[in-house]
Tab-separated table of all heavy atoms in Angstrom:
chain	number	residue	atom	x	y	z
A	1198	ILE	N	121.831	82.179	122.473
A	1198	ILE	CA	120.773	81.681	121.581
A	1198	ILE	C	120.454	82.712	120.518
A	1198	ILE	O	120.324	82.383	119.335
A	1198	ILE	CB	119.515	81.296	122.402
A	1198	ILE	CG1	119.794	80.045	123.235
A	1198	ILE	CG2	118.310	81.087	121.497
A	1198	ILE	CD1	118.710	79.712	124.248
A	1199	LYS	N	120.335	83.978	120.909
A	1199	LYS	CA	120.045	85.041	119.934
A	1199	LYS	C	121.169	85.186	118.915
A	1199	LYS	O	120.934	85.402	117.734
A	1199	LYS	CB	119.820	86.374	120.648
A	1199	LYS	CG	118.463	86.485	121.280
A	1199	LYS	CD	118.260	87.846	121.890
A	1199	LYS	CE	116.888	87.951	122.521
A	1199	LYS	NZ	116.650	89.282	123.092
A	1200	ARG	N	122.399	85.080	119.381
A	1200	ARG	CA	123.559	85.204	118.490
A	1200	ARG	C	123.564	84.062	117.464
A	1200	ARG	O	123.787	84.268	116.276
A	1200	ARG	CB	124.847	85.199	119.313
A	1200	ARG	CG	126.057	85.690	118.583
A	1200	ARG	CD	127.317	85.856	119.458
A	1200	ARG	NE	127.313	85.320	120.801
A	1200	ARG	CZ	127.073	86.038	121.907
A	1200	ARG	NH1	126.778	87.304	121.829
A	1200	ARG	NH2	127.090	85.461	123.096
A	1201	GLU	N	123.261	82.869	117.934
A	1201	GLU	CA	123.210	81.710	117.038
A	1201	GLU	C	122.058	81.850	116.043
A	1201	GLU	O	122.210	81.548	114.866
A	1201	GLU	CB	123.058	80.426	117.861
A	1201	GLU	CG	123.186	79.160	117.069
A	1201	GLU	CD	124.566	78.945	116.482
A	1201	GLU	OE1	125.555	79.444	117.047
A	1201	GLU	OE2	124.655	78.269	115.431
A	1202	ASP	N	120.924	82.335	116.539
A	1202	ASP	CA	119.767	82.540	115.668
A	1202	ASP	C	120.077	83.597	114.609
A	1202	ASP	O	119.739	83.431	113.441
A	1202	ASP	CB	118.564	82.966	116.515
A	1202	ASP	CG	117.312	83.115	115.688
A	1202	ASP	OD1	117.011	82.181	114.917
A	1202	ASP	OD2	116.643	84.161	115.814
A	1203	ARG	N	120.722	84.663	115.004
A	1203	ARG	CA	121.070	85.742	114.070
A	1203	ARG	C	122.011	85.235	112.981
A	1203	ARG	O	121.914	85.649	111.827
A	1203	ARG	CB	121.703	86.899	114.830
A	1203	ARG	CG	122.032	88.086	113.969
A	1203	ARG	CD	122.589	89.218	114.820
A	1203	ARG	NE	123.187	90.234	114.021
A	1203	ARG	CZ	122.580	91.338	113.635
A	1203	ARG	NH1	121.349	91.553	113.979
A	1203	ARG	NH2	123.222	92.230	112.906
A	1204	LYS	N	122.894	84.311	113.352
A	1204	LYS	CA	123.831	83.755	112.383
A	1204	LYS	C	123.094	83.054	111.238
A	1204	LYS	O	123.533	83.054	110.100
A	1204	LYS	CB	124.759	82.754	113.091
A	1204	LYS	CG	126.108	82.615	112.456
A	1204	LYS	CD	126.987	81.547	113.091
A	1204	LYS	CE	127.083	81.564	114.572
A	1204	LYS	NZ	127.978	80.518	115.099
A	1205	HIS	N	121.941	82.476	111.555
A	1205	HIS	CA	121.167	81.750	110.548
A	1205	HIS	C	120.153	82.635	109.825
A	1205	HIS	O	119.897	82.430	108.647
A	1205	HIS	CB	120.434	80.562	111.195
A	1205	HIS	CG	121.371	79.533	111.732
A	1205	HIS	ND1	122.126	78.723	110.932
A	1205	HIS	CD2	121.682	79.204	113.007
A	1205	HIS	CE1	122.869	77.926	111.685
A	1205	HIS	NE2	122.625	78.195	112.946
A	1206	THR	N	119.575	83.596	110.535
A	1206	THR	CA	118.528	84.410	109.917
A	1206	THR	C	119.064	85.613	109.159
A	1206	THR	O	118.394	86.085	108.236
A	1206	THR	CB	117.513	84.902	110.965
A	1206	THR	OG1	118.191	85.672	111.953
A	1206	THR	CG2	116.765	83.739	111.581
A	1207	LEU	N	120.212	86.125	109.524
A	1207	LEU	CA	120.749	87.309	108.844
A	1207	LEU	C	120.913	87.088	107.340
A	1207	LEU	O	120.485	87.933	106.547
A	1207	LEU	CB	122.054	87.773	109.483
A	1207	LEU	CG	122.638	89.057	108.905
A	1207	LEU	CD1	121.679	90.221	109.101
A	1207	LEU	CD2	123.976	89.358	109.554
A	1208	PRO	N	121.500	85.979	106.910
A	1208	PRO	CA	121.607	85.772	105.455
A	1208	PRO	C	120.246	85.725	104.765
A	1208	PRO	O	120.093	86.240	103.650
A	1208	PRO	CB	122.331	84.428	105.324
A	1208	PRO	CG	123.066	84.257	106.602
A	1208	PRO	CD	122.215	84.926	107.644
A	1209	LEU	N	119.241	85.145	105.415
A	1209	LEU	CA	117.902	85.090	104.828
A	1209	LEU	C	117.296	86.483	104.727
A	1209	LEU	O	116.660	86.826	103.733
A	1209	LEU	CB	116.988	84.189	105.666
A	1209	LEU	CG	117.353	82.715	105.680
A	1209	LEU	CD1	116.473	81.963	106.673
A	1209	LEU	CD2	117.212	82.125	104.295
A	1210	ARG	N	117.499	87.288	105.756
A	1210	ARG	CA	116.972	88.654	105.729
A	1210	ARG	C	117.664	89.477	104.651
A	1210	ARG	O	117.008	90.225	103.919
A	1210	ARG	CB	117.144	89.315	107.093
A	1210	ARG	CG	116.237	88.696	108.145
A	1210	ARG	CD	116.267	89.442	109.430
A	1210	ARG	NE	115.542	90.697	109.247
A	1210	ARG	CZ	115.609	91.704	110.095
A	1210	ARG	NH1	116.358	91.627	111.164
A	1210	ARG	NH2	114.917	92.806	109.871
A	1211	LEU	N	118.972	89.343	104.551
A	1211	LEU	CA	119.699	90.090	103.512
A	1211	LEU	C	119.240	89.672	102.119
A	1211	LEU	O	119.081	90.506	101.223
A	1211	LEU	CB	121.207	89.891	103.660
A	1211	LEU	CG	121.839	90.611	104.850
A	1211	LEU	CD1	123.311	90.211	104.978
A	1211	LEU	CD2	121.691	92.106	104.720
A	1212	GLN	N	119.022	88.393	101.935
A	1212	GLN	CA	118.536	87.904	100.638
A	1212	GLN	C	117.153	88.481	100.332
A	1212	GLN	O	116.863	88.840	99.184
A	1212	GLN	CB	118.484	86.381	100.641
A	1212	GLN	CG	118.081	85.801	99.310
A	1212	GLN	CD	118.016	84.283	99.349
A	1212	GLN	OE1	117.737	83.685	100.386
A	1212	GLN	NE2	118.279	83.666	98.223
A	1213	ALA	N	116.321	88.607	101.339
A	1213	ALA	CA	114.989	89.192	101.136
A	1213	ALA	C	115.098	90.651	100.712
A	1213	ALA	O	114.405	91.092	99.792
A	1213	ALA	CB	114.163	89.062	102.418
A	1214	TYR	N	115.975	91.391	101.369
A	1214	TYR	CA	116.178	92.797	100.984
A	1214	TYR	C	116.727	92.890	99.555
A	1214	TYR	O	116.335	93.779	98.794
A	1214	TYR	CB	117.110	93.501	101.967
A	1214	TYR	CG	116.444	93.855	103.275
A	1214	TYR	CD1	116.725	93.163	104.447
A	1214	TYR	CD2	115.520	94.896	103.345
A	1214	TYR	CE1	116.104	93.491	105.635
A	1214	TYR	CE2	114.894	95.232	104.538
A	1214	TYR	CZ	115.200	94.523	105.677
A	1214	TYR	OH	114.577	94.849	106.857
A	1215	GLU	N	117.621	91.983	99.206
A	1215	GLU	CA	118.161	91.975	97.836
A	1215	GLU	C	117.053	91.698	96.822
A	1215	GLU	O	116.966	92.372	95.789
A	1215	GLU	CB	119.247	90.905	97.701
A	1215	GLU	CG	120.529	91.224	98.406
A	1215	GLU	CD	121.496	90.051	98.424
A	1215	GLU	OE1	121.178	88.974	97.863
A	1215	GLU	OE2	122.582	90.212	98.996
A	1216	ARG	N	116.227	90.711	97.102
A	1216	ARG	CA	115.154	90.363	96.165
A	1216	ARG	C	114.140	91.486	96.035
A	1216	ARG	O	113.647	91.768	94.937
A	1216	ARG	CB	114.478	89.069	96.602
A	1216	ARG	CG	115.382	87.859	96.339
A	1216	ARG	CD	114.707	86.571	96.577
A	1216	ARG	NE	113.536	86.403	95.710
A	1216	ARG	CZ	112.758	85.355	95.749
A	1216	ARG	NH1	113.022	84.373	96.583
A	1216	ARG	NH2	111.718	85.251	94.957
A	1217	LEU	N	113.830	92.142	97.138
A	1217	LEU	CA	112.884	93.255	97.060
A	1217	LEU	C	113.480	94.450	96.332
A	1217	LEU	O	112.769	95.153	95.605
A	1217	LEU	CB	112.399	93.642	98.461
A	1217	LEU	CG	111.478	92.617	99.114
A	1217	LEU	CD1	111.136	93.027	100.542
A	1217	LEU	CD2	110.219	92.399	98.300
A	1218	SER	N	114.772	94.680	96.498
A	1218	SER	CA	115.391	95.779	95.748
A	1218	SER	C	115.417	95.453	94.261
A	1218	SER	O	115.186	96.343	93.425
A	1218	SER	CB	116.789	96.096	96.282
A	1218	SER	OG	117.663	95.027	96.089
A	1219	LEU	N	115.645	94.207	93.919
A	1219	LEU	CA	115.588	93.807	92.510
A	1219	LEU	C	114.167	93.983	91.973
A	1219	LEU	O	113.973	94.476	90.856
A	1219	LEU	CB	116.044	92.357	92.342
A	1219	LEU	CG	116.006	91.795	90.931
A	1219	LEU	CD1	116.940	92.579	90.010
A	1219	LEU	CD2	116.389	90.321	90.940
A	1220	PHE	N	113.180	93.608	92.765
A	1220	PHE	CA	111.784	93.807	92.372
A	1220	PHE	C	111.517	95.285	92.088
A	1220	PHE	O	110.919	95.632	91.058
A	1220	PHE	CB	110.859	93.300	93.486
A	1220	PHE	CG	109.440	93.762	93.361
A	1220	PHE	CD1	108.607	93.264	92.377
A	1220	PHE	CD2	108.924	94.713	94.240
A	1220	PHE	CE1	107.297	93.693	92.256
A	1220	PHE	CE2	107.615	95.145	94.124
A	1220	PHE	CZ	106.796	94.637	93.132
A	1221	LEU	N	111.963	96.159	92.988
A	1221	LEU	CA	111.742	97.596	92.798
A	1221	LEU	C	112.435	98.110	91.544
A	1221	LEU	O	111.885	98.946	90.817
A	1221	LEU	CB	112.209	98.369	94.032
A	1221	LEU	CG	111.382	98.146	95.295
A	1221	LEU	CD1	112.061	98.763	96.508
A	1221	LEU	CD2	109.961	98.675	95.131
A	1222	GLU	N	113.634	97.618	91.293
A	1222	GLU	CA	114.338	98.025	90.070
A	1222	GLU	C	113.597	97.552	88.829
A	1222	GLU	O	113.503	98.267	87.841
A	1222	GLU	CB	115.763	97.472	90.065
A	1222	GLU	CG	116.696	98.114	91.064
A	1222	GLU	CD	116.983	99.571	90.757
A	1222	GLU	OE1	117.029	99.941	89.563
A	1222	GLU	OE2	117.161	100.337	91.719
A	1223	ARG	N	113.062	96.355	88.882
A	1223	ARG	CA	112.382	95.787	87.713
A	1223	ARG	C	111.045	96.456	87.423
A	1223	ARG	O	110.597	96.456	86.283
A	1223	ARG	CB	112.191	94.282	87.889
A	1223	ARG	CG	113.504	93.514	87.807
A	1223	ARG	CD	113.314	92.025	88.028
A	1223	ARG	NE	112.460	91.414	87.033
A	1223	ARG	CZ	112.852	90.945	85.845
A	1223	ARG	NH1	114.121	91.059	85.500
A	1223	ARG	NH2	111.995	90.376	85.023
A	1224	ILE	N	110.382	97.028	88.448
A	1224	ILE	CA	109.094	97.665	88.190
A	1224	ILE	C	109.200	99.180	88.047
A	1224	ILE	O	108.181	99.845	87.864
A	1224	ILE	CB	108.042	97.312	89.271
A	1224	ILE	CG1	108.382	97.938	90.618
A	1224	ILE	CG2	107.818	95.820	89.342
A	1224	ILE	CD1	107.216	97.969	91.600
A	1225	ALA	N	110.396	99.736	88.128
A	1225	ALA	CA	110.550	101.174	87.874
A	1225	ALA	C	110.018	101.449	86.470
A	1225	ALA	O	110.324	100.708	85.526
A	1225	ALA	CB	112.012	101.573	87.998
A	1226	PRO	N	109.172	102.456	86.312
A	1226	PRO	CA	108.472	102.655	85.033
A	1226	PRO	C	109.368	102.631	83.797
A	1226	PRO	O	109.041	101.949	82.822
A	1226	PRO	CB	107.803	104.021	85.215
A	1226	PRO	CG	107.598	104.134	86.687
A	1226	PRO	CD	108.772	103.446	87.306
A	1227	GLY	N	110.480	103.324	83.825
A	1227	GLY	CA	111.355	103.358	82.655
A	1227	GLY	C	111.918	101.997	82.296
A	1227	GLY	O	111.853	101.562	81.142
A	1228	ARG	N	112.450	101.322	83.274
A	1228	ARG	CA	113.029	99.991	83.028
A	1228	ARG	C	111.967	98.998	82.585
A	1228	ARG	O	112.200	98.152	81.727
A	1228	ARG	CB	113.736	99.488	84.273
A	1228	ARG	CG	115.011	100.224	84.564
A	1228	ARG	CD	115.751	99.553	85.711
A	1228	ARG	NE	117.026	100.197	85.916
A	1228	ARG	CZ	117.239	101.123	86.843
A	1228	ARG	NH1	116.260	101.501	87.635
A	1228	ARG	NH2	118.429	101.678	86.982
A	1229	LEU	N	110.814	99.105	83.195
A	1229	LEU	CA	109.721	98.195	82.872
A	1229	LEU	C	109.276	98.367	81.424
A	1229	LEU	O	109.102	97.384	80.702
A	1229	LEU	CB	108.549	98.443	83.829
A	1229	LEU	CG	107.339	97.531	83.696
A	1229	LEU	CD1	107.725	96.092	84.023
A	1229	LEU	CD2	106.235	98.009	84.626
A	1230	VAL	N	109.117	99.601	80.996
A	1230	VAL	CA	108.689	99.864	79.618
A	1230	VAL	C	109.721	99.332	78.631
A	1230	VAL	O	109.371	98.675	77.649
A	1230	VAL	CB	108.427	101.373	79.396
A	1230	VAL	CG1	108.284	101.702	77.915
A	1230	VAL	CG2	107.189	101.806	80.162
Side-chain angles (χ1 to χ4, degrees):
I1198 290 170
K1199 282 184 180 182
R1200 196 173 11 262
E1201 188 65 27
D1202 183 49
R1203 183 177 167 96
K1204 208 185 312 181
H1205 295 290
T1206 59
L1207 184 62
L1209 294 173
R1210 291 187 73 194
L1211 288 174
Q1212 184 181 30
Y1214 284 107
E1215 288 171 1
R1216 287 188 60 181
L1217 290 175
S1218 65
L1219 179 62
F1220 165 72
L1221 292 170
E1222 290 294 327
R1223 290 178 62 86
I1224 69 163
R1228 289 187 175 98
L1229 183 64
V1230 167

